Amino acid sequence: MGICRIILVAAAASAGLAPQSARAQAADAKTAEQVFKNIIQLKGTPADQVQPAMQFIAASLGVDCAFCHVQGKMEADDKGAKRTARDMMAMTAAINTNSFRGQRQVTCYSCHRGSTRPVNVPSVLESDAPTTPAAAPGAPQAQAATVDQILEKYVAAIGGADAMKKVTSRVMTGKILAGGSETPIDVITKAPNMRVSITHNSTGDSFTAFDGTAGWLGSTGHAAREMSAAESAASGLDAEFYLGLRVKELFPQLRRGRPETVAGAECEILNGTASGRPAVRLYFDKSSGLLVRMVRYADTPMGRNPTQIDYADYRDAGGVKIPFRWTLSRPNARFTIQIAEVKSNAPVDDGRFAKPAGDVK
């Protein structure tokens, strides 16, 4: 079985969190060496973390699987790059253990930055212009907004808590834009945290769902599979129907970050962490108060894989402003979902989100 197969599920346009379950996956989870052949450096690692680790390495070096692996014979050690990769994995682990008290501070990306060869010489100046332009004097800065003020402005911007709670479900239709192609998609959500995305491919439908407790994936005519704990954690976060009202509950450690600019708009930043949930970074437009970006991080044995979701095209839907367009970007993939129609408070049975017992129909 190949350990470097990179999976892109386009229907997972938004996603977030399996509190304690992922249906008790941890109880009978297998290790990497129990599932894959010729595992050396990742012995003892949960098997479902091998793929994300390979994705992290590939993104860090700007390569694909074939750089290290023999296609069709992934366990082979024929390529020198694979042996070198193992040495580098051992090296970074030793650095982190000996110099950073076991915290994962040094990774492949620390040196490679998207190149197969690490950069070890500073670049020369390419211009006579000052390297750091002098800052123009400006008006005195107003006192920074607090976490509560940022969230209150966001809730008010989308319509207020009362208007939000009047809507308990949404049935959305639109299309996925990826690689120059368009594919129809339905996104169905229901309070408090259920969601299913159905991508209508030419060969059948693909499903990405969170049933309120755990996530699952499937396609027409095949048995559905439960998401890994990390996948489910991401799926649950995106399934949060009243995210603006729940952020502080979901992320007790919620702190301001340094302001940043997104698409020309100055943004307030909130960084959130919580046990069992992916760390997140939330970007709120300082002018409108709307959430324009979320970056969440999935830990792997090699480092953190980021997923960035940019929200745009906010429109009214049942008295609440929601984004009709969101773009999901990962180190190895990017796609956009554009919603065309939203039906608020449409009747939706909870069974729409449940993992099928047999093949997906």
Side-chain angles (χ1 to χ4, degrees):
M1 182 180 298
I3 66 174
C4 199
R5 181 170 50 102
I6 297 178
I7 301 172
L8 167 62
V9 183
S14 308
L17 140 80
Q20 37 184 343
S21 85
R23 312 252 202 227
Q25 288 180 3
D28 48 317
K30 293 185 178 181
T31 61
E33 63 270 27
Q34 290 174 316
V35 175
F36 303 105
K37 297 178 181 178
N38 197 16
I39 294 293
I40 304 297
Q41 289 297 333
L42 294 178
K43 281 184 178 177
T45 298
D48 65 11
Q49 284 293 295
V50 173
Q51 295 282 8
M54 295 297 103
Q55 293 172 1
F56 182 89
I57 293 172
S60 295
L61 275 67
V63 298
D64 59 21
C65 307
F67 185 76
C68 291
H69 294 276
V70 178
Q71 296 303 294
K73 194 180 176 184
M74 306 294 277
E75 71 278 5
D77 289 340
D78 297 6
K79 294 192 175 183
K82 184 176 181 182
R83 296 190 292 272
T84 300
R86 285 187 177 135
D87 291 341
M88 296 298 99
M89 292 163 73
M91 180 189 73
T92 55
I95 292 173
N96 288 323
T97 297
N98 298 329
S99 300
F100 296 101
R101 299 183 299 278
Q103 300 177 43
R104 193 178 294 113
Q105 297 294 327
V106 176
T107 70
C108 310
Y109 192 75
S110 300
C111 297
H112 283 272
R113 302 288 171 135
S115 172
T116 56
R117 293 186 176 275
V119 176
N120 58 7
V121 177
S123 58
V124 299
L125 291 178
E126 300 288 347
S127 169
D128 293 331
T131 55
T132 305
Q141 293 292 316
Q143 186 174 359
T146 65
V147 170
D148 286 343
Q149 288 171 334
I150 293 170
L151 293 177
E152 288 167 3
K153 186 173 182 177
Y154 169 49
V155 170
I158 60 179
D162 290 342
M164 291 170 66
K165 291 179 179 179
K166 289 179 181 178
V167 181
T168 59
S169 69
R170 293 188 182 96
V171 175
M172 298 174 274
T173 58
K175 56 189 177 183
I176 292 180
L177 312 173
S181 63
E182 299 181 0
T183 307
I185 187 172
D186 298 325
V187 182
I188 304 169
T189 61
K190 185 175 182 179
N193 62 339
M194 290 181 285
R195 177 189 181 98
V196 60
S197 298
I198 309 167
T199 307
H200 303 290
N201 303 297
S202 58
T203 56
D205 293 342
S206 296
F207 295 75
T208 301
F210 189 82
D211 65 7
T213 302
W216 59 272
L217 299 161
S219 57
T220 305
H222 301 278
R225 75 162 179 89
E226 293 180 354
M227 292 182 181
S228 68
E231 291 171 326
S232 198
S235 191
L237 182 58
D238 287 348
E240 286 290 336
F241 200 85
Y242 303 121
L243 180 63
L245 304 178
R246 291 251 298 151
V247 172
K248 289 180 66 177
E249 181 181 346
L250 295 171
F251 299 100
Q253 292 81 45
L254 191 63
R255 298 179 176 83
R256 277 182 51 91
R258 292 179 179 274
E260 295 184 29
T261 299
V262 174
E266 186 176 355
C267 293
E268 300 279 14
I269 308 297
L270 294 182
N271 296 313
T273 57
S275 177
R277 301 183 187 277
V280 299
R281 189 168 176 82
L282 304 170
Y283 297 69
F284 298 90
D285 186 308
K286 194 171 183 178
S287 176
S288 69
L290 295 172
L291 178 67
V292 295
R293 173 176 291 175
M294 174 194 292
V295 181
R296 57 172 178 262
Y297 302 90
D299 285 317
T300 81
M302 302 306 301
R304 281 183 165 181
N305 278 327
T307 296
Q308 175 179 300
I309 306 174
D310 289 299
Y311 304 100
D313 191 15
Y314 273 86
R315 306 183 208 171
D316 180 87
V320 180
K321 281 188 176 180
I322 65 170
F324 273 57
R325 183 181 182 91
W326 58 93
T327 299
L328 189 146
S329 307
R330 298 189 179 101
N332 65 334
R334 176 184 172 91
F335 61 90
T336 294
I337 288 187
Q338 178 67 58
I339 297 300
E341 181 182 10
V342 177
K343 296 179 181 178
S344 299
N345 289 325
V348 181
D349 188 89
D350 289 358
R352 292 295 302 270
F353 311 96
K355 175 175 170 287
D359 289 348
V360 178
K361 298 179 180 179

